[in-house]
Amino acid sequence: MKCIDHHKVIVVAQSFGGLSISLAMEKFPKKVFVAVFVTALMPDTAHKLSYVVREFMKVPKVWKDNCSITRGNNSWISFSDKFLKSSFYQLCSLEDFALISALKRPGSLFPNDLDKIQLSEEKYGSVDRVYIVAKVDLGVIEDFQPEMIGNYSGKEVKVIHHSGHLPQLSRPLELSVHLLEIARNYSSSS
């Protein structure tokens, strides 16, 4: 984002990537046309950035097949194949899931770092947001998505029916149509 001089961009995130684009929006609000949250965590300005993560972790799920590791101040989680197949990738092809399974790594949500970050209305809040709901999302479940949207509504909400947590794998054409429509609407309106 620092390298972008006189251009504006559209930032798109999926799942926990919503935290990353939120930070980009906070640091570079004048460089972003619109932020697109595709079944992603979408924070608000009333709470620390960690709030949306903690609320997400409260959603009832079957976490028992996953491994959690704590080192120092950070916790890491490794999702089991069983959990990934039943909750995140249930509508993906067998080939996509085999690749995902081979490439998966433990990850951290860095809750202690996120506890220190407060997004502002003046920066993060000044960027238009579009949320794309996947109707069969078992990762960021459909009940939690409206809660985030209600906490900090965006400019619009789009829906992809018959899509799991990763519409880019389960419904790529529908996701592409939405993203192209968003690009046309927001880049031409400036």
Side-chain angles (χ1 to χ4, degrees), residues 18 20 23 26 29 38 55-56 92 98 111 113 117 131 135-136 141 147 149 151 154 160 167 171 175 185-186:
S20 299
L23 290 170
E26 180 69 20
V38 181
E55 291 301 301
F56 169 71
C92 297
D113 294 329
I117 300 169
Y131 197 94
K135 290 300 271 184
V136 193
I141 62 170
E147 188 177 317
I149 295 164
N151 279 349
I160 300 177
R171 303 302 273 190
L175 177 61
N185 291 344
Y186 287 89

Side-chain angles (χ1 to χ4, degrees), residues 5 12 20 27 34 56 61 67 70 72 105 113 117 128 133 156 181 186:
D5 288 330
V12 180
S20 299
K27 281 188 94 167
V34 63
F56 169 71
K61 287 184 175 270
C67 177
T70 301
R105 302 287 181 269
D113 294 329
I117 300 169
D128 288 335
V133 173
E156 59 184 303
E181 182 181 286
Y186 287 89

